[in-house]
Amino acid sequence: MMRQLACLTVFLAFTACGGSGGSDSVRIDEPEARTYALGVNGYLWRASLDTLSFMPMDGIDGQGGTIFTEWYVNPDVPTERLKVNVFVLDEALRADSLRVTVFREVAGPDGWNAAPVRAGTAERIEDAILTRAREIRIAVIEND
């Protein structure tokens, strides 16, 4: 069971980072890849990337458990943009192992200006990530 979890962690780490097998990437079948492990919960990590996949990424760190998106402008609301930071804080699959911060700006005559985030936005993103993490975990268990 521990070996399967380690393999899953390696798989999630490399698929989450877009490892395409290029010269700078490490293949999963290489010895050093087998010992690589995320510093955080792999389910929460993968679920965070899945949930925010529509947003351009600015910085991703699997060891530190941080995901920073670039500003995202919804085509339906071009006068508003959002940026999301996700922090996976622990190896446990629990709600308190996840923290989401959302930033919002609106377009004005002098450019983009900071604006309050609508109440519950970060919580809805956290809920979506936690739901996705549970789905991934269930799928892994069922395929085991």
Side-chain angles (χ1 to χ4, degrees):
M1 180 65 179
M2 288 303 290
R3 179 178 161 89
Q4 292 167 331
L5 182 57
C7 290
L8 171 65
T9 301
V10 169
F11 172 75
L12 292 174
F14 285 100
T15 58
C17 296
S20 61
S23 61
D24 291 340
S25 65
V26 176
R27 291 175 33 139
I28 292 176
D29 59 350
E30 294 176 357
E32 58 272 9
R34 282 186 240 132
T35 61
Y36 179 85
L38 287 173
V40 296
N41 183 278
Y43 299 119
L44 287 174
W45 177 253
R46 182 69 223 181
S48 297
L49 290 171
D50 286 356
T51 302
L52 299 175
S53 65
F54 68 96
M55 300 180 85
M57 298 294 163
D58 186 31
I60 300 172
D61 176 11
Q63 285 294 314
T66 57
I67 300 170
F68 302 112
T69 71
E70 293 181 6
W71 288 105
Y72 170 76
V73 178
N74 182 338
D76 296 334
V77 188
T79 59
E80 173 182 279
R81 67 184 187 175
L82 298 173
K83 182 178 182 119
V84 178
N85 295 342
V86 174
F87 303 92
V88 181
L89 305 170
D90 197 339
E91 292 182 5
L93 178 54
R94 298 188 325 234
D96 63 352
S97 296
L98 183 67
R99 187 176 75 219
V100 174
T101 307
V102 181
F103 303 92
R104 180 175 172 252
E105 291 185 343
V106 294
D110 57 341
W112 292 100
N113 300 299
V117 177
R118 289 180 182 88
T121 301
E123 290 81 8
R124 284 193 297 277
I125 294 170
E126 285 177 3
D127 288 345
I129 292 169
L130 289 164
T131 298
R132 180 68 185 129
R134 286 197 259 338
E135 291 169 353
I136 294 168
R137 183 174 183 269
I138 289 168
V140 167
I141 290 170
E142 288 177 351
N143 291 324
D144 208 11

